[in-house]
């Protein structure tokens, strides 16, 4: 197993190193670009071989930043960033961009083989109203140099403090077919276009779009180096009552998102909490379905 080294640049980011590689940067410094819906994010994510497996501010969607948890439609506001989809109009620029404020860490627990973060955030709408409070738990663990993989788990508990229902939706709930993105979202590097998508049920990217799946994996080939990498995405037991419909594309870019409001809006009453958890395995090489299934079967949720 790999030994972790953690560096915390106060007010900016937390960087995790393993085997001499900075495998994770969790960036929480205030983002000055309001149109991109400021929020914390993970970028870069790297494999243990040192290959970057996230993209940041790509020219087609500047608001895509590595791995982040957010929401494209919340009671008329956009916490995703960029243009908003409006029924019968399409994508338009609106004055409806929200943001997430980092309020502090309740824990930054670093051990030799594991890092656990507990962060408090506030969701603030475009009118500067506080709509939600979030407790976010991110862990880095199971760093295995021989296997060439490491694991990130992410749990977010989002509590409605608005005083009225919060309605979480997506472009699809607003009328755009097969665009149900919202929730935890990964944007892959440009070189990962036309990569390989694997699922527990044997579906490809087109087949799993808008469907349920026990897990979804994405393998891509890097520029400059003769290597592939694989990321495996899986929902946790807390999501079992309302499993995600997956938003997955390999063209025109690589994206994986287990959506919590693909086809139908999710209504969150005042005082209620939306509790979701996920696992991401970051691995060297192009993994097979059998290897993925065996790896996930050996893991436990903590």
């Amino acid at each position: 197993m790999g030994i972790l080294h953690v560096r915390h640049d106060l007010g900016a980011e937390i960087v995790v190193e393993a085997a001499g590689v900075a495998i994770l940067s969790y960036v929480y410094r205030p983002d000055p670009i309001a149109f991109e819906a400021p929020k914390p994010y993970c970028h870069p994510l790297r494999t243990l071989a040192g290959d970057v497996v996230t993209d940041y501010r790509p020219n087609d969607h500047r608001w895509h930043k590595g791995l982040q948890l957010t929401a494209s439609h919340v009671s008329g506001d956009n916490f995703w960033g960029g243009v908003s989809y409006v029924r019968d109009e399409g994508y338009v620029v609106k004055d409806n961009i929200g943001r997430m404020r980092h309020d502090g860490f309740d824990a930054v627990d670093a051990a030799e083989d594991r890092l656990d973060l507990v962060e408090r955030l506030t969701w603030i709408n475009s009118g500067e109203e506080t709509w939600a409070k979030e407790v976010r738990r991110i862990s880095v663990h199971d760093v295995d140099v021989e296997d060439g993989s490491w694991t990130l788990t992410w749990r977010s508990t989002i509590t409605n403090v608005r005083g009225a229902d919060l309605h979480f939706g997506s472009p699809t709930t607003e009328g755009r077919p097969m665009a149900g993105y919202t929730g935890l979202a990964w944007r892959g590097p440009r070189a990962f276009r036309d990569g390989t998508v694997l699922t527990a049920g044997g579906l490809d990217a087109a087949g799993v779009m808008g469907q349920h799946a026990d897990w979804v994996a994405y393998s891509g080939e890097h520029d400059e180096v003769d290597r592939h990498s694989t990321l495996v995405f899986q929902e946790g037991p807390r999501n079992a009552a309302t499993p995600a419909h997956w938003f997955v594309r390999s063209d025109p870019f690589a994206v994986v998102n287990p959506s919590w409001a693909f086809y139908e809006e999710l209504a969150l009453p005042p005082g209620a909490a939306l509790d979701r958890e996920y696992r991401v395995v970051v691995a060297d090489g192009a993994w097979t379905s059998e290897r993925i299934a065996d790896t996930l079967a050996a893991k436990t949720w903590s």
Side-chain angles (χ1 to χ4, degrees), residues 103-115:
D103 292 333
F105 289 106
D106 288 338
V108 180
D109 295 331
E112 185 177 89
D113 60 351
R114 184 180 180 99
L115 170 71

Side-chain angles (χ1 to χ4, degrees), residues 87-105:
R87 187 179 299 274
D88 301 325
E89 295 184 41
Y91 283 106
V92 298
V93 175
K94 297 185 68 179
D95 185 20
N96 71 335
I97 306 296
R99 61 187 174 94
M100 296 180 197
R101 184 184 68 212
H102 165 81
D103 292 333
F105 289 106

Side-chain angles (χ1 to χ4, degrees), residues 56-241:
Y56 175 77
R57 298 193 73 242
N59 60 24
D60 48 52
H61 296 77
R62 296 291 189 196
W63 47 94
H64 287 188
K65 297 175 182 177
L67 178 72
Q68 55 185 356
L69 184 139
T70 184
S72 56
H73 290 67
V74 186
S75 296
D77 265 33
N78 175 357
F79 288 83
W80 186 275
V83 292
S84 298
Y85 191 84
V86 177
R87 187 179 299 274
D88 301 325
E89 295 184 41
Y91 283 106
V92 298
V93 175
K94 297 185 68 179
D95 185 20
N96 71 335
I97 306 296
R99 61 187 174 94
M100 296 180 197
R101 184 184 68 212
H102 165 81
D103 292 333
F105 289 106
D106 288 338
V108 180
D109 295 331
E112 185 177 89
D113 60 351
R114 184 180 180 99
L115 170 71
D116 293 296
L117 305 178
V118 181
E119 181 187 20
R120 289 175 286 104
L121 303 101
T122 298
W123 292 44
I124 301 169
N125 85 329
S126 57
E128 289 298 305
E129 299 173 349
T130 296
W131 275 11
K133 294 285 187 177
E134 178 184 348
V135 176
R136 179 174 295 182
R137 297 170 175 87
I138 295 177
S139 299
V140 175
H141 53 95
D142 290 351
V143 178
D144 191 329
V145 176
E146 292 185 2
D147 187 57
S149 68
W150 64 275
T151 299
L152 179 151
T153 53
W154 184 312
R155 178 186 175 189
S156 282
T157 305
I158 303 162
T159 302
N160 178 359
V161 298
R162 180 189 182 194
D165 284 2
L166 286 175
H167 293 272
F168 291 86
S170 66
T172 295
T173 66
E174 288 295 309
R176 185 188 179 203
M178 291 302 177
Y181 53 83
T182 199
L184 185 74
W186 166 78
R187 173 68 188 256
R190 187 77 63 176
F192 276 29
R193 178 175 178 173
D194 296 324
T196 299
V197 173
L198 301 172
T199 73
L203 300 173
D204 59 10
V208 76
M209 177 67 92
Q211 302 299 311
H212 297 305
D214 290 339
W215 52 261
V216 172
Y218 197 111
S219 294
E221 184 174 8
H222 295 278
D223 290 334
E224 300 185 23
V225 295
D226 299 326
R227 289 193 291 266
H228 290 74
S229 297
T230 300
L231 289 92
V232 184
F233 303 86
Q234 184 183 33
E235 291 197 279
R238 288 182 175 84
N239 306 11

